[in-house]
């Protein structure tokens, strides 16, 4: 069980995107330790030795460690709103909206709809769950004469 927790913690750390302040905080000890990435890593606890070296080279080249804290979106807010409005105005047909506007995927359109018009998607309606009696009835009709067993 401890191994599973260790893996989860490592995955969480690996997915962390460092801010400019964290990158600068790693570069300063790297320089003061005589350019030893291992010493800087020991002091801070993050990131990898090679990452500290890359940030330092970016710092020398550009005056700061590259990589923005957040990647800019591919679509403007206005373009997102146009896509959602088109979807709502044209029968809530995701495939038609994707084709008409040249949107990359229905999945991306779905994310936009949920963000800008929550609850407006066609499939957002709750689905009816079958009771155990309903399941037994369906199985009995599908397999007459067999004993109904519900998995």
């Amino acid at each position: 069980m401890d191994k599973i927790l260790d893996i989860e913690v490592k995955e969480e750390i690996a997915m962390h995107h460092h801010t400019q302040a964290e990158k600068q905080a790693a570069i300063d000890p790297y320089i003061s330790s005589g350019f030893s990435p291992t010493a800087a890593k020991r002091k801070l606890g993050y990131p990898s030795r090679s990452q500290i070296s890359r940030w330092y080279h970016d710092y020398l080249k550009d005056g700061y460690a590259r990589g923005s804290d957040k990647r800019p979106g591919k679509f403007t807010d206005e373009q997102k709103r146009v896509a959602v409005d088109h979807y709502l105005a044209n029968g809530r047909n995701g495939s038609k909206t994707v084709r008409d506007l040249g949107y990359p995927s229905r999945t991306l359109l779905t994310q936009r709809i949920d963000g800008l018009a929550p609850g407006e998607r066609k499939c957002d309606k709750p689905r009816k769950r079958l009771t155990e009696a309903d399941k037994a009835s369906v199985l009995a009709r599908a397999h007459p004469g067999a004993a109904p067993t519900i998995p």
Side-chain angles (χ1 to χ4, degrees):
M1 177 140 166
D2 290 334
K3 288 184 179 182
I4 293 173
L5 293 176
D6 289 342
I7 291 170
E8 289 174 1
V9 169
K10 286 178 184 175
E11 287 175 355
E12 193 173 302
I13 291 170
M15 292 174 43
H16 177 70
H17 294 281
H18 296 283
T19 64
Q20 290 294 341
E22 289 173 323
K23 292 174 184 179
Q24 190 61 46
I27 291 170
D28 293 338
Y30 175 70
I31 295 169
S32 65
S33 67
F35 304 102
S36 169
T38 305
K41 183 181 184 308
R42 274 193 208 120
K43 184 175 181 181
L44 298 169
Y46 71 90
S48 68
R49 294 179 334 212
S50 59
Q51 188 65 56
I52 293 174
S53 298
R54 275 186 295 229
W55 288 347
Y56 175 70
H57 289 292
D58 292 342
Y59 174 74
L60 288 178
K61 181 180 165 195
D62 302 325
Y64 61 94
R66 278 188 304 169
S68 63
D69 292 340
K70 186 177 177 187
R71 189 175 145 213
K74 185 175 181 180
F75 297 99
T76 65
D77 290 340
E78 182 181 345
Q79 290 170 323
K80 293 173 189 176
R81 173 51 61 193
V82 166
V84 171
D85 291 344
H86 186 277
Y87 170 82
L88 296 172
N90 290 288
R92 298 177 187 206
N93 186 332
S95 295
K96 180 174 176 18
T97 302
V98 167
R99 275 192 315 269
D100 291 351
L101 300 181
Y103 229 63
S105 68
R106 283 187 10 217
T107 304
L108 187 58
L109 177 64
T110 299
Q111 292 171 354
R112 299 295 176 244
I113 295 165
D114 289 345
L116 296 173
E120 294 295 322
R121 280 193 300 127
K122 248 195 291 193
C123 65
D124 245 4
K125 296 176 179 71
R127 295 182 180 170
K128 180 183 173 191
R129 294 276 185 202
L130 292 177
T131 63
E132 296 299 319
D134 291 337
K135 289 178 186 178
S137 172
V138 169
L139 287 172
R141 281 183 281 160
H143 306 286
T149 58
I150 300 173

